[in-house]
Amino acid sequence: MTGARFALRQAVYTNKAFWRNPASAFFTFAFPLMFLVIFTTLFGNSEVRVGGEMISTSTFYIPSMATFSVISACYTNIAISATFARDEGILKRTRGTPMPGWSYLLGRILHAVLVALILVGIVAAFGSLVYDAQLPGGGDLLRFAASLLVGSAAFAALGLAITCIVPNADAAPAIINASILPLLFVSDVFIPLQDPPAWIDWVGKAFPVRPFAAAMQAAFLGTPFSWTDLLVVAAWGIGGVVIASLFFRWEPNR
């Protein structure tokens, strides 16, 4: 069996295991919708400037929560689940099977990307039905799809890379959430930034969350789209692949 077929079978197995844990699956899909409803309820009557255009805050939050969905599925979830699998000895046992290590990791990434795609579809459909948001079409839809795929792959790679500095499963949620939550606040995801302080603007531009959010928002809203944003996200993803290939650990610390 080729490595690619191993990866596909691992993705199918991971997907079945995911859906057989209804509580985990429910909250994975509920969080983005819950944040979308809360934020649009709090700020829905105001307007924000995005790409030189004034739009309602409820419209702003649809691509923003799509961005959060991708990061949650492809970074947070994959990093925490891989750390727990390592501590439980699952990764070590997997290395003892004929399946190549890269096939196992690719299978988990494929599952995470599938969950992200479903999440984004649910958020977009909810926004269209409840908030009457216009869904992207034509060239904007292609740009949105490109942003979605590049962002999913990059944050999945970064999710595996961050596990290299997580000592054990007990520390995983704290370290992984601490590495991403502040960036979501300074990167136009949770809060629309209008003339932020210079240092917050600098921090947001230095990491991949803001360019990914900017690409998703521009493609969804039809505002000016910059391919440079996707190049920055892709560069971070390549860095994640390099770090994970060099330092990813298959065995728990003893």
Side-chain angles (χ1 to χ4, degrees):
M1 183 180 291
T2 64
R5 292 185 65 185
F6 272 123
L8 288 176
R9 289 198 172 189
Q10 180 61 41
V12 171
Y13 168 78
T14 306
N15 192 54
K16 287 182 178 178
F18 173 78
W19 290 107
R20 287 175 180 174
N21 187 343
S24 174
F26 172 78
F27 285 106
T28 296
F29 286 93
F31 268 125
L33 291 180
M34 184 174 65
F35 284 139
L36 176 61
V37 171
I38 291 174
F39 286 137
T40 53
T41 301
L42 291 174
F43 307 114
N45 292 327
S46 60
E47 289 189 334
V48 294
R49 182 180 299 277
V50 178
E53 296 183 12
M54 298 301 293
I55 62 171
S56 68
T57 308
S58 60
T59 303
F60 165 84
Y61 273 118
I62 294 168
S64 295
M65 289 303 103
T67 301
F68 170 67
S69 299
V70 173
I71 294 173
S72 177
C74 295
Y75 177 80
T76 307
N77 288 355
I78 200 170
I80 291 177
S81 63
T83 306
F84 273 75
R86 185 177 63 198
D87 265 27
E88 293 170 353
I90 296 174
L91 297 187
K92 183 179 179 179
R93 293 197 294 274
T94 300
R95 289 289 277 176
T97 68
M99 179 167 59
W102 67 266
S103 298
Y104 175 80
L105 297 178
L106 179 58
R108 296 188 74 95
I109 290 173
L110 290 175
H111 163 71
V113 172
L114 174 64
V115 172
L117 293 175
I118 295 173
L119 273 169
V120 170
I122 291 174
V123 169
F126 186 87
S128 177
L129 292 173
V130 177
Y131 299 112
D132 199 26
Q134 294 294 316
L135 300 180
D140 288 335
L141 182 58
L142 292 177
R143 286 185 280 273
F144 188 77
S147 303
L148 188 55
L149 291 176
V150 172
S152 299
F155 279 99
L158 291 170
L160 292 175
I162 191 73
T163 64
C164 300
I165 64 169
V166 178
N168 52 58
D170 291 337
I175 293 175
I176 293 163
N177 284 319
S179 70
I180 196 67
L181 283 177
L183 292 179
L184 292 171
F185 279 98
V186 302
S187 300
D188 259 355
V189 176
F190 283 167
I191 299 173
L193 299 178
Q194 306 288 303
D195 299 322
W199 71 270
I200 288 182
D201 192 47
W202 184 88
V203 170
K205 290 178 179 176
F207 292 93
V209 177
R210 181 181 290 186
F212 178 45
M216 293 281 280
Q217 290 164 356
F220 190 91
L221 301 173
T223 54
F225 183 88
S226 173
W227 289 99
T228 303
D229 289 329
L230 284 192
L231 290 177
V232 172
V233 177
W236 272 92
I238 292 171
V241 170
V242 172
I243 292 173
S245 63
L246 292 176
F247 302 109
F248 186 80
R249 289 186 291 110
W250 294 84
E251 299 182 14
N253 285 330
R254 297 298 183 189

